Amino acid sequence: AALIGADVELAETVAGTRRRDDGRLWVANINAPGQVVVAGGAADIAWLTKNGRDLGVRRVVPLKVAGAFHSPFMEPAVAEFRAALADVRFSDPRFPVWSNVSATPVSEVAVALAAQITSSVRFSESLVAMKAAGIDRFVHVGPGDVTANMAKRSLDGAETFVVSDLSSVESVARAIQ
């Protein structure tokens, strides 16, 4: 569920409150100022929808997703994913590869990928750290423009570009040269 109008501290407090009552709710995504996503079981999301306003959340939006990604619910997938990565040869990156788990550049990409399965996505914090490192252009690749909009909300003055289909690749490439 997306917690609209909630910061990370409020989301952590809400999730912790639910876990203290034997619930299963964790902060899954720190997307942008005022938008944090939590992951939990169906009963936990129903509890949150019912009690969110009383806990200080402006609005709770249940999300239609296939699983409670970026939370301990995904732990059973980690071993199989690590085993699959064992057969993949990673070259040393030619540019910094940023982990949105640590909001830092990483040298061991496979380790960072496996950590992302059960760890919170610190997207907004990653963008802020990238900007502090001198990165001020961001390209969203994929359908829609969700991450580009989150970058605009997270960073003053960031340039964002969207590549949502093959026809937009060339124009974005020209724009960022």
Side-chain angles (χ1 to χ4, degrees):
L3 306 184
I4 307 301
D7 61 16
V8 179
E9 288 128 38
L10 176 58
E12 289 285 4
T13 298
V14 168
T17 297
R18 181 63 176 164
R19 288 194 308 271
R20 280 190 298 281
D21 290 336
D22 293 325
R24 301 175 302 160
L25 195 63
W26 291 272
V27 172
N29 299 71
I30 304 161
N31 287 337
Q35 188 193 56
V36 179
V37 174
V38 294
D44 302 296
I45 301 303
W47 171 87
L48 180 59
T49 301
K50 180 181 176 188
N51 298 296
R53 286 191 67 80
D54 292 339
L55 295 166
V57 179
R58 188 173 80 222
R59 194 169 98 200
V60 176
V61 180
L63 302 174
K64 294 179 182 179
V65 294
F69 302 109
H70 311 295
S71 78
F73 276 92
M74 298 306 297
E75 187 62 41
V78 174
E80 187 175 340
F81 186 76
R82 283 189 179 133
L85 285 180
D87 295 333
V88 176
R89 186 178 152 263
F90 286 88
S91 299
D92 290 335
R94 289 182 276 168
F95 51 84
V97 175
W98 289 73
S99 165
N100 59 23
V101 170
S102 64
T104 62
V106 294
S107 57
E108 295 186 34
V109 175
V111 172
L113 288 170
Q116 188 170 5
I117 294 173
T118 58
S119 300
S120 298
V121 172
R122 298 167 57 193
F123 186 74
S124 183
E125 293 174 42
S126 297
L127 293 171
V128 170
M130 289 173 163
K131 186 163 185 188
I135 300 167
D136 59 2
R137 287 181 165 171
F138 299 90
V139 180
H140 168 97
V141 179
D145 60 359
V146 173
T147 61
N149 288 331
M150 287 190 286
K152 288 177 188 176
R153 287 180 49 200
S154 297
L155 304 170
D156 289 331
E159 280 188 276
T160 60
F161 302 89
V162 176
V163 175
S164 57
D165 54 37
L166 289 176
S167 65
S168 58
V169 171
E170 197 171 306
S171 63
V172 170
R174 278 193 307 274
I176 62 175
Q177 287 183 2

